[in-house]
Amino acid sequence: MKKNALCAGRHLKSRSNQIMLIMKMSALFLFAAIFVASANDSFSQVGKVTIHLEDAKLSKIFDEIEEQTSYSLFYKKDVVDDERVISISVKEQKVDDVLAQLLAGENVSYRVVDRNIVIVPAYLNDDLSQQQAIKVQGKVTDETGGPVPGVSVLVEGTMNGTVTNMDGNYILENVPENATLQFSFVGMKQQNINVNGRTTIDVEMEQETIGLDEVVAIGYGVMRKSDMTGATSRLTEDEMNKSVATSPTEMMQGRVPGVNISQNNGEPGAGMSVRVRGTNSIRSGQEPLYVVDGVPLDNADLTPEGATPAGIDQASNKNPISFLNPDDIESIDILKDASATAIYGARGANGVVLITTKKGIKGEGTISYNGYYGVSQVREKMDVLSASQFRQYTKEDGTKLLDLGGSTDWQDQIFQSAKTQNHNFSYGGGTENLMYRASIGYLDQEGIITTTGMEKING
């Protein structure tokens, strides 16, 4: 039997032995935190081994120990480096002495569990062995004071646990004095309680208000993401703030599968084309429908007379949601299939982008600031001849050129180091009956071409 069930490339003699070994390995490492404190560390019945190996890997030496004894060794590769090369020569020596020699200087400890030798980090053994095991009992109730049966009570980091009975009572043996108990039940928030030497711990469970999974806006309201049958994507505030963005569309770019976003040109503030699952029409508009806090933004209202009704204002080169401040957005949900048309009709044929802005939070009013400053430059200029080089070339080539003595590098005249600054202030709070939030943002973005740039104020 091989000792390191976690190492890749280790082959077992038969399929049945492999399955049994994997099951035993999983159980041993899950229960190791419990067993190390009370396991028998005597090797009196392990026997003795004889090993003579030069420059052998530690894994090979472990193989020899297993072949000469009835014990199996278990460990994780991040705990024991079994690729380490060692020379060893012992004759009729006890296994504990051999292991002490092999693991000398390593921050590990080993214990006998059943017919197996488990190697674990030293801190795990030290922490548990120094603590006195006690019996903890108590009662679990809900917010109304009623008992909650079936609550899982577990010693954190171990498989030592129990469940509450019909009266909400539990008893848990062999609990380290400084352990942490985890109380969990479906539909209720998990509670982590430090024992701190107490033998009686009563817990009041709270209802899980949001649910068991992420919720997604679907037009009529919200529902659990796991219950969705349509194709949707969701961007949260943390995901959107991983890069600097000057518009909500830039916040989505490259982060939503099935949504292609491209910028019409490189000018600051240039409009961006959004295609949900490709091009769907030849003559009609291709842009999705944008809904901000439940209010649809009709493209006809945003597009000036004479412009195409595709959601992109060709005259001003802006996107319908370019007026929004990215710092004010809490989440973005994209409906990408027929569920969009079921809710919004023909307007949702190209998909729907649902934008939820930030709201006030219950509590005292707080002021928040978010800003950044950056510099943009041309990555690489075109490699062209200088004025003197060009004159020399024309002389050698015989080209007649009217030379007025100019030597201007027009790339230096056109390009610049563009500065960008963005500042956002917000103030918000709320009470039981009223939530409020106000914000103002300022963006000044220069283009790398001297005549381009964008300045925007949001309120």
Side-chain angles (χ1 to χ4, degrees):
M1 182 182 295
K2 300 297 182 182
K3 65 202 165 298
N4 185 4
L6 297 183
C7 294
R10 308 302 300 270
H11 300 286
L12 300 181
K13 296 180 180 180
S14 67
R15 181 64 177 174
S16 59
N17 288 340
Q18 181 185 22
I19 296 175
M20 291 300 297
L21 181 58
I22 293 175
M23 293 175 63
K24 182 181 293 186
M25 174 207 70
S26 301
L28 284 172
F29 278 106
L30 288 174
F31 283 95
I34 309 169
F35 289 156
V36 291
S38 57
N40 175 22
D41 55 2
S42 172
F43 285 83
S44 59
Q45 299 179 7
V46 173
K48 299 180 180 181
V49 294
T50 299
I51 304 175
H52 300 284
L53 292 173
E54 291 289 336
D55 296 330
K57 291 184 178 180
L58 185 59
S59 58
K60 175 63 176 177
I61 302 175
F62 284 164
D63 284 337
E64 290 292 330
I65 295 176
E66 287 188 335
E67 291 177 2
Q68 298 182 33
T69 67
S70 59
Y71 279 74
S72 299
L73 282 82
F74 289 88
Y75 56 90
K76 289 186 176 180
K77 293 205 65 153
D78 57 355
V79 175
V80 178
D81 181 13
D82 61 359
E83 297 295 321
R84 183 161 52 94
V85 177
I86 301 177
S87 297
I88 184 172
S89 179
V90 295
K91 182 178 180 181
E92 293 297 319
Q93 192 166 348
K94 294 182 179 179
V95 174
D96 56 344
D97 295 334
V98 175
L99 288 177
Q101 179 180 344
L102 295 174
L103 300 176
E106 300 290 330
N107 192 23
V108 297
S109 180
Y110 49 89
R111 285 290 184 270
V112 177
V113 181
D114 194 12
R115 304 297 296 176
N116 304 279
I117 302 173
V118 181
I119 304 176
V120 297
Y123 73 85
L124 183 60
N125 178 54
D126 295 340
D127 290 346
L128 293 178
S129 61
Q130 293 174 4
Q131 297 181 24
Q132 180 181 356
I134 60 176
K135 180 175 74 173
V136 179
Q137 59 185 359
K139 184 174 184 178
V140 180
T141 59
D142 56 20
E143 295 174 322
T144 64
V148 183
V151 175
S152 174
V153 184
L154 185 69
V155 178
E156 187 178 34
T158 74
M159 291 298 292
N160 181 20
T162 184
V163 295
T164 57
N165 59 20
M166 294 301 297
D167 296 325
N169 298 318
Y170 72 92
I171 298 177
L172 195 57
E173 304 278 354
N174 297 323
V175 179
E177 290 183 328
N178 295 329
T180 300
L181 298 184
Q182 294 179 346
F183 297 81
S184 59
F185 189 72
V186 176
M188 293 185 172
K189 295 180 181 180
Q190 178 176 297
Q191 301 268 11
N192 294 329
I193 308 295
N194 294 326
V195 176
N196 293 330
R198 293 177 293 173
T199 58
T200 302
I201 299 178
D202 296 329
V203 177
E204 180 181 305
M205 303 291 288
E206 299 179 4
Q207 294 289 335
E208 183 66 64
T209 56
I210 296 178
L212 301 178
D213 206 347
E214 182 181 4
V215 296
V216 179
I218 57 172
Y220 293 122
V222 296
M223 69 183 304
R224 288 196 304 177
K225 190 173 184 179
S226 60
D227 296 336
M228 288 291 298
T229 57
T232 64
S233 294
R234 179 177 178 83
L235 289 176
T236 62
E237 183 179 359
D238 293 337
E239 296 168 331
M240 292 183 293
N241 288 340
K242 288 181 179 179
S243 67
V244 175
T246 60
S247 71
T249 313
E250 291 183 25
M251 300 167 72
M252 297 187 293
Q253 192 171 20
R255 292 190 173 90
V256 183
V259 178
N260 297 322
I261 300 176
S262 58
Q263 193 166 359
N264 297 337
N265 58 63
E267 181 181 356
M272 305 189 73
S273 174
V274 180
R275 298 290 182 267
V276 178
R277 292 194 167 181
T279 301
N280 303 315
S281 176
I282 297 177
R283 301 182 61 184
S284 301
Q286 304 295 321
E287 292 295 308
L289 173 67
Y290 296 94
V291 180
V292 180
D293 289 335
V295 180
L297 303 181
D298 289 331
N299 294 330
D301 296 337
L302 294 170
T303 306
E305 185 177 357
T308 59
I312 292 293
D313 180 350
Q314 301 294 347
S316 61
N317 204 23
K318 299 295 182 181
N319 186 273
I321 55 174
S322 61
F323 70 93
L324 289 173
N325 185 355
D327 192 63
D328 290 335
I329 297 178
E330 180 177 338
S331 65
I332 300 177
D333 297 277
I334 299 95
L335 308 184
K336 297 184 287 187
D337 61 3
S339 63
T341 60
I343 300 172
Y344 296 100
R347 294 184 299 173
N350 296 323
V352 180
V353 178
L354 304 172
I355 299 177
T356 303
T357 59
K358 296 178 181 178
K359 308 294 190 299
I361 301 176
K362 181 180 176 181
E364 295 184 0
T366 57
I367 299 177
S368 299
Y369 168 78
N370 180 28
Y372 62 84
Y373 181 89
V375 178
S376 302
Q377 293 178 324
V378 177
R379 180 178 180 181
E380 184 177 0
K381 295 180 181 179
M382 295 182 62
D383 188 13
V384 298
L385 298 176
S386 65
S388 61
Q389 290 172 335
F390 184 69
R391 292 189 185 98
Q392 181 65 29
Y393 170 77
T394 56
K395 289 180 181 180
E396 295 175 356
D397 189 58
T399 303
K400 294 182 179 181
L401 178 69
L402 179 61
D403 187 357
L404 300 178
S407 60
T408 301
D409 187 339
W410 292 107
Q411 292 188 86
D412 288 341
Q413 300 299 315
I414 294 173
F415 297 122
Q416 65 176 350
S417 295
K419 299 181 290 294
T420 301
Q421 57 178 322
N422 190 357
H423 307 279
N424 297 283
F425 289 91
S426 65
Y427 177 76
T431 62
E432 291 288 348
N433 302 319
L434 175 65
M435 301 294 181
Y436 59 90
R437 183 180 186 273
S439 67
I440 185 171
Y442 173 73
L443 171 66
D444 183 11
Q445 181 182 17
E446 295 180 349
I448 57 175
I449 297 178
T450 55
T451 58
T452 62
M454 177 183 64
E455 187 175 17
K456 182 170 64 173
I457 300 176
N458 296 88

